[in-house]
Amino acid sequence: MTNTFRNHPDLKPLLHKIQTSIEVNIIHRPLKFMEVCGTHTVSILKYGFRQYFKDSIKFLSGPGCPVCVTSAQDIDKIIFLAQQGHHIVTFGDLIKVPGSHSSLEKKIAKGATVDVVYSPLDALKIARNTNKEVIFIAVGFETTIPVIASLVLDAYAQKLKNLSILCLVKTMPNVLRYLLSHLTGQIDGFILPGHVSVIIGSEPYEFIPEEYHIPCTIAGFESVDLGLGVESLVEQIRSRSSKVDNRYIRMVKAEGNKAAQVLISSVFQESDVSWRGFGMIPRSGLQLKEDFEQFDAAQKFDIQVDEVELQTACICGDIISGKRSPLECTLFRNICTPENPVGPCMVSFEGACAAYYKYGE
Amino acid sequence: MDKKTILLSHGSGGKLSQEFLELIYKTLEDVVVNHGEDSGSFDADSARIAITTDSYTIDPIFFPGGNIGKLAICGTTNDLAMVGAVPKYITLSLMIEEGFQFDDLKKILISIKQQTMKAGVSIIAGDTKIVSKGKIDKIFINTAGYGIIQTDQVISSKNAQPDDAVIVTGDIGDHGAAIMAYRNGFDSELRSDCANVASLIKALLDDDVIIHALRDPTRGGLASILNEIAFSSQVDIEINEEALPIKKSVTGVCDALGIDPLYMACEGRAVIICPEDQGERVLKIMRSKTLGKNAQCIGQILQKTDAPKLYLKTFIGARRILPLLSREQTPRIC
């Protein structure tokens, strides 16, 4: 199988050139690059980048897996709604995430009505064909939010009374600002999320090189994309410069996707939200605007969950802030496995722990 | 396990399935004589007989490239072929939900007839059950298959040897990707590879090719089946990413959904483990048939080991483990 962006004849020479450049020009090693997005974590492990650069680059996983950053209390809210007999519509990855005492998967086995969908818009069809209250669990970043906005607008246009969303969506730039202001270790470069950048563009990240002087690259997800992204960071370090270098130009424009941005802002407004591992971060999420409050499950239903602080040795919070790797977690692979996930990073296929586990790290 | 509830993941073909099957094997250990092969076998007066059984449930029941009826006959005859048997008879049991359409049943029965004639098998016994609305999902099919083993060779998942070649008879992941694309409303030309591979295996055995192990990579896909062979034979296996035959359209669907084609079900493929010096013959015979025209040698069996692993050599020359997944893959969110 040949693929222009996956198995290009120039890929191996490019990686060799990067490796040589690090060895010849850069004294401080291993370099620490944070891949913000969970899909990048998967790609880095899947294509063998972590192994290829094992002595020269340490890849750190950032807070870019939407499941991993969903708090236990938010999972408890979903389970509460399912237990009330409502029809839950969700993405598959959320099914197994442990809340403080159970998971949606266990509730399904006990009779909860849960539909796993790929597109949020599937919730419309489900709502039209049932008398039950249908609740779409809205998780994700800017990539997913425009479609969730479309769902709300369609529900509004169709005057659907039995559809609402539990809004748990989060946004990208401000969590990076939070991360950088609380940083304890060194990050030499950021591999910025490709799919999110398609929507928001490259401009919102400019504060990283300007205020923190850290090189950034926007990269795609194929091996060639990653190679070009890593090359950009190494080149910036070598030349002692820093910028947001867009290496995903076939998909990402500096200004992003204006139509998607308008769609988002027509339905949602900024809000302070709680992230697993970080706590409350100002203006790092979205909530429905007043015009659409009738579709807000949090307002529509009296959701009663306890404030529970999970007491486990799980270090998912440290993992998504780049402080530690899954391999440093005492639970990893012995107590915490994909079959018995303790923390959310082991649940989602985009989670750092699940990716490390799957790819045999 | 005994205190827990059975979850859908226990039927995914991954790690949780293994735990689940362990309970069954352990409880029935004094009466079970087959462990981990697609069909069981026994010696009769003048022949070695293979028997298999399977149940079929799929959503949607009609999909691009087939339907549940075609799937049931191909799946059953393929399981017989995986122990070197020529399929002869099958049984057919239909469990149908109240409200199911006669027209749909007729379409499924026509497919069943076409596939049995194609495979040269006869239906020797059958049963029907109509179940109250909501008690099952549309239609379930259960079959048993009976075949005569046409070789004296020991073809078994326990029989992979160091230096053996690993060959697949065609493109990987078509069935799983076609179903995923269809379910998610993708505009895709992908079709299930659902087919009877018994004729391919018969051609190899008729030519006296030496075969050590055969499996059809259905639930859990190629990576799960190779993990099972590695575990049963206590060997490491390495496959080469550059050699894997995967359609661009399958890669496209899998990339869009964030799932790995190596774990996607195939319903018309076989994995052949044979001595290295038989590899070229196998490929020549396979490629002479329409169903095997894209056959590829994708890797090899490495050394014996107490801790078997399946490795993938990636495009960039790195090596990583392909584990047994714990559950079905789900589409990524972002």
Side-chain angles (χ1 to χ4, degrees), chain B residues 25-195:
Chain B
Y25 278 131
K26 213 168 179 175
T27 311
L28 300 176
E29 68 184 342
D30 297 332
V31 290
V32 169
V33 292
N34 169 20
H35 285 267
E37 302 296 343
D38 286 328
S39 292
S41 60
F42 65 95
D43 291 325
D45 291 345
S46 56
R48 284 179 67 216
I49 306 300
I51 287 189
T52 188
T53 183
D54 211 336
S55 297
Y56 297 87
T57 161
I58 186 167
D59 178 29
I61 53 172
F62 296 96
F63 49 83
N67 61 51
I68 191 169
K70 182 181 181 184
L71 192 68
I73 304 305
C74 292
T76 308
T77 50
N78 288 348
D79 279 350
L80 291 169
M82 292 308 111
V83 294
V86 176
K88 291 290 179 193
Y89 295 103
I90 60 166
T91 67
L92 180 72
S93 178
L94 304 171
M95 282 149 281
I96 302 168
E97 185 188 21
E98 178 185 23
F100 196 72
Q101 296 294 313
F102 265 96
D103 282 354
D104 287 344
L105 178 61
K106 194 170 178 185
K107 281 181 206 161
I108 291 166
L109 291 172
I110 288 168
S111 284
I112 287 172
K113 184 180 177 181
Q114 285 171 342
Q115 293 305 317
T116 50
M117 288 173 80
K118 219 171 177 176
V121 295
S122 305
I123 297 169
I124 196 165
D127 183 44
T128 59
K129 285 281 178 295
I130 312 298
V131 182
S132 307
K133 187 115 188 115
K135 297 297 179 191
I136 63 166
D137 184 20
K138 300 180 195 75
I139 181 167
F140 292 174
I141 298 179
N142 173 268
T143 60
Y146 169 100
I148 296 168
I149 295 174
Q150 64 168 124
T151 175
D152 294 332
Q153 296 187 54
V154 178
I155 298 173
S156 163
S157 292
K158 298 183 181 73
N159 201 26
Q161 307 292 333
D163 299 327
D164 278 359
V166 179
I167 291 168
V168 287
T169 58
D171 295 347
I172 293 158
D174 290 15
H175 176 79
I179 298 291
M180 278 277 195
Y182 189 78
R183 277 184 195 162
N184 287 296
F186 288 8
D187 183 17
S188 164
E189 290 176 7
L190 264 177
R191 294 169 65 77
S192 167
D193 57 345
C194 186

Side-chain angles (χ1 to χ4, degrees), chain A residues 2 6-7 11-12 45-48 51 93 96 105 110 118 222 338-339 347 349-350 357-359, chain B residues 5 7 9 15 184 248 251 255-257 260 314-316 318-320 323 326-327 330-333:
Chain A
T2 56
R6 184 162 299 180
N7 189 18
L11 177 62
K12 283 180 190 169
L45 288 154
K46 181 169 129 183
Y47 297 125
Q51 190 212 36
D93 262 7
K96 282 183 72 98
E105 184 179 46
K110 290 192 167 22
Y118 176 60
E222 299 293 358
E339 301 82 62
V347 174
F349 280 109
E350 295 172 59
Y357 188 98
K358 179 182 170 187
Y359 296 115
Chain B
T5 313
L7 306 172
S9 301
K15 263 194 187 163
N184 287 296
K248 276 189 177 176
T251 306
D255 284 353
L257 294 169
D260 191 337
T314 73
F315 290 128
I316 68 170
R319 196 193 208 205
R320 67 171 171 88
S326 59
R327 57 190 165 108
T330 47
R332 68 154 172 265
I333 296 172

Side-chain angles (χ1 to χ4, degrees), chain A residues 34-55:
Chain A
M34 176 178 275
E35 81 279 359
V36 175
C37 172
T39 309
H40 273 143
T41 303
V42 170
S43 293
I44 283 163
L45 288 154
K46 181 169 129 183
Y47 297 125
F49 274 63
R50 199 179 132 79
Q51 190 212 36
Y52 189 94
F53 290 109
K54 62 180 183 292
D55 298 324

Side-chain angles (χ1 to χ4, degrees), chain A residues 33-332:
Chain A
F33 292 165
M34 176 178 275
E35 81 279 359
V36 175
C37 172
T39 309
H40 273 143
T41 303
V42 170
S43 293
I44 283 163
L45 288 154
K46 181 169 129 183
Y47 297 125
F49 274 63
R50 199 179 132 79
Q51 190 212 36
Y52 189 94
F53 290 109
K54 62 180 183 292
D55 298 324
S56 52
I57 300 172
K58 190 175 176 188
F59 291 99
L60 308 169
S61 303
C65 155
V67 167
C68 306
V69 296
T70 302
S71 71
Q73 197 178 12
D74 285 337
I75 300 297
D76 287 350
K77 288 177 187 174
I78 302 167
I79 290 167
F80 175 87
L81 290 166
Q83 281 175 315
Q84 298 301 299
H86 303 313
H87 190 138
I88 304 295
V89 181
T90 181
F91 296 123
D93 262 7
L94 269 176
I95 295 278
K96 282 183 72 98
V97 186
S100 60
H101 57 280
S102 188
S103 72
L104 213 46
E105 184 179 46
K106 288 173 182 163
K107 296 299 170 194
I108 293 169
K110 290 192 167 22
T113 309
V114 179
D115 264 321
V116 172
V117 296
Y118 176 60
S119 167
L121 297 175
D122 293 341
L124 289 166
K125 193 172 153 192
I126 292 165
R128 282 197 299 267
N129 291 306
T130 181
N131 294 323
K132 275 187 168 186
E133 284 287 347
V134 174
I135 303 159
F136 177 71
I137 309 303
V139 296
F141 294 105
E142 288 91 336
T143 322
T144 321
I145 298 168
V147 192
I148 298 168
S150 295
L151 167 68
V152 173
L153 289 171
D154 286 357
Y156 184 86
Q158 294 171 28
K159 298 186 172 62
L160 283 174
K161 298 277 185 253
N162 66 329
L163 178 65
S164 56
I165 69 167
L166 185 65
C167 188
L168 307 173
V169 295
K170 294 174 175 62
T171 54
M172 192 40 76
N174 283 338
V175 70
L176 294 179
R177 192 176 277 283
Y178 175 92
L179 191 70
L180 285 161
S181 63
H182 289 75
L183 212 56
T184 50
Q186 170 76 23
I187 289 182
D188 298 303
F190 279 104
I191 299 170
L192 296 168
H195 293 144
V196 165
S197 304
V198 170
I199 306 298
I200 68 172
S202 58
E203 289 158 3
Y205 306 112
E206 292 291 349
F207 74 93
I208 302 173
E210 282 169 16
E211 296 174 33
Y212 295 92
H213 312 294
I214 298 175
C216 294
T217 184
I218 296 172
F221 300 91
E222 299 293 358
S223 47
V224 172
D225 293 320
L226 277 170
L228 292 169
V230 171
E231 179 196 42
S232 168
L233 294 180
V234 169
E235 184 51 35
Q236 289 181 61
I237 292 164
R238 191 195 62 77
S239 61
R240 300 196 175 168
S241 62
S242 57
K243 60 179 178 181
V244 177
D245 187 13
N246 180 7
R247 292 282 177 111
Y248 198 26
I249 48 175
R250 70 179 186 277
M251 295 296 285
V252 177
K253 297 190 186 95
E255 70 280 10
N257 181 331
K258 288 289 181 196
Q261 290 167 23
V262 168
L263 190 59
I264 292 170
S265 59
S266 66
V267 174
F268 292 104
Q269 60 194 22
E270 274 190 336
S271 69
D272 303 345
V273 297
S274 184
W275 295 59
R276 197 186 284 238
F278 294 149
M280 191 66 73
I281 301 178
R283 297 171 43 236
S284 65
L286 300 173
Q287 64 185 51
L288 285 164
K289 282 183 161 174
E290 207 171 317
D291 291 350
F292 301 101
E293 276 178 351
Q294 73 227 56
F295 299 107
D296 186 352
Q299 296 201 39
K300 193 173 186 179
F301 305 101
D302 180 22
I303 303 173
Q304 295 174 11
V305 294
D306 296 331
E307 291 263 355
V308 182
E309 201 53 55
L310 287 180
Q311 296 297 330
T312 73
C314 166
I315 61 163
C316 280
D318 284 355
I319 289 165
I320 58 176
S321 41
K323 290 176 188 163
R324 292 198 269 178
S325 124
L327 304 178
E328 294 171 69
C329 180
T330 54
L331 307 183
F332 181 74

